[in-house]
Amino acid sequence: MKKQYWFIAITVMLLSACNSGDDKPKTLADTFSFDAATQSREDDINDSIFISGLELLNIDTSQIKSFTFTISAKPGTYSEPIRASYTLDYLKTKNLVNTGDNTVTIPIFGLYSGFTNTINITYQFIDNSTYSFITNITTDTFNDTNNIYNNITTDVTPTTTPEFSFIAMKNRLYPPVIMDIDGNVRWMLPITTSSLSSIFTNNGFYIGDDRGLGIKYYSLFGGNESYSVRGSSTNIQGGFFHHNIDQGKNGFLIELEGSFNGVFKVESYLAEVDHTGLIKKEWDIGKLLRDYMIGEGDDPSNFIRDGVDWFHMNAATYSPDDDTIIVSSRENFVIKIDYDTGNVIWVLGDENKYWFSYPSLQRLSVSLNGGDKPIGQHAVSISRSGQLMFFNNGYNSINQPIGAPTGINLTSSQVEIINIDNQLKHGEVTWQFDDGIYSDVCSSAYENESGNQILINFAAADNRKKAVVMGVDKQKNKLFQYSLSSPQPCATSWNAEIVPLQNIRFQ
């Protein structure tokens, strides 16, 4: 067996007062009878080393509201404990409660590999009293056949616990791999698949098929569901996912390539879908720009070229402040469009590129005070203060018409936050980080929930040979940093996002 389970101790808790007397009404936890040594055992529900389960025997669930597990942090580390709670009703929907023989299975994920994990299990009763006991689960050592995720180089060791602890690395090899800030793998499925187009939400990962229109959902405890993209207003033939999946207004923003009504469009189509893949909204960026430019008197035929990677969409985000979509075009600029109408509001990019030769696009161009305009950028998002944020790779265009200007290159990549006035089309750089690392393609940077700290992922550092992952605060202090080899460009961690494994709720 790859995991071993031992019971250690039982603790009954919930004392509401230190001087409670004999006449004080007893809580449900006070009267609960349970022997962990005989009424609990490991139920290994998944092939992953990082996932297991605990089966509770002879449990009267009629007065139980929820169960919570907490995996203690390994001594000497700075990541938070992994904690997840399940309502009884949720466990019933997943067939993890058997009322016939009174058993309940609690999925446990985020285990350290090659380690005896200390786990606290807490029952919450309908009167909100609680009962807890502690167990151990020992796991085998993780062995990555690609020798990547088990071979981390620590560059900056944490000295305190940051505001985030867990990072999902989207890659070409597996479903997203979750690592903690100490460099330990905490979640991984033994499946070979690309997860470049993926997003963490609903306590799991949605992964788009890079060879088709299928969507696979993997829960944190290993369950999976299958969906497919459908409901387009156009006839999509040979379509497939590329680049990222981002959070939208009413669902996910997905990027598709394929033939649309018989016209092959390369990385210039965006859609919003619900979690089952049903399309709610579509934007053909080429058509939107073409209509605008023609209306302004320009001929866009040499700029917007169907069948050619003229746009290279790699990220999109929804801005709730003004109901707009912001899209990253690696070849040209960042573009902002109205969510409902698709009208172009502004573009922000290197004016040394070919696009700036068109007067209609010049009129949309945002001026910038300080900092650098986006050049080959990735991972556009909206900061907690409502400003534009992106990873500025600094790599010029590679698919412009022959002889057309391709723009400049930067000597190192940056993270920037810019406050843009939509009416004046003017921006002010409010935060910029440059660590001297050049990552010309892929990569990402996202704020944590409070906006005080940032996860930065240099996906193609060292001439595309490794990924460098770091956390920094707004004062530009490094919180941690480690690096991983990359057998192919962007294979290891093309994009990385924060995942809140310290507080997961299944309900």
Side-chain angles (χ1 to χ4, degrees), residues 59 61 67 87-105:
I59 300 295
T61 60
F67 299 87
T87 63
L88 183 66
D89 288 341
Y90 177 87
L91 293 175
K92 288 179 178 178
T93 66
K94 299 303 178 182
N95 298 317
L96 295 171
V97 178
N98 188 330
T99 55
D101 60 7
N102 294 323
T103 61
V104 178
T105 300

Side-chain angles (χ1 to χ4, degrees), residues 1 108 357 361 411 444 473 485:
M1 291 181 62
I108 298 174
S357 66
L361 297 179
T411 57
S444 58
D473 60 25
S485 64

Side-chain angles (χ1 to χ4, degrees), residues 234-278:
T234 66
N235 180 21
I236 305 176
Q237 296 291 327
F240 57 89
F241 283 78
H242 68 87
H243 288 93
N244 213 26
I245 299 179
D246 295 286
Q247 195 64 49
K249 179 179 181 180
N250 301 305
F252 313 145
L253 296 173
I254 64 172
E255 302 156 30
L256 300 178
E257 181 173 325
S259 179
F260 298 81
N261 287 338
V263 179
F264 193 77
K265 298 180 183 294
V266 180
E267 301 187 358
S268 59
Y269 169 90
L270 180 70
E272 185 173 40
V273 300
D274 67 13
H275 77 279
T276 70
L278 180 63

Side-chain angles (χ1 to χ4, degrees), residues 144 146 148-149 168-177 188-189 191-198 207-211 240-244 267 312 314 378 440-443 457 459-460 464 467 484-496:
D144 180 8
N146 292 291
I148 296 172
Y149 300 101
M169 298 180 179
K170 307 174 187 182
N171 62 87
R172 298 182 186 274
L173 308 171
Y174 310 104
V177 176
M188 183 178 183
L189 294 179
I191 299 170
T192 301
T193 186
S194 170
S195 58
L196 296 185
S197 300
S198 61
I207 303 175
D209 189 347
D210 62 354
R211 298 183 180 181
F240 57 89
F241 283 78
H242 68 87
H243 288 93
N244 213 26
E267 301 187 358
H312 198 96
N314 57 34
H378 286 73
D440 59 343
V441 294
C442 307
S443 308
N457 175 57
R464 304 184 180 179
L484 311 82
S485 64
S486 188
Q488 308 167 34
C490 306
T492 297
S493 180
W494 100 271
N495 179 288

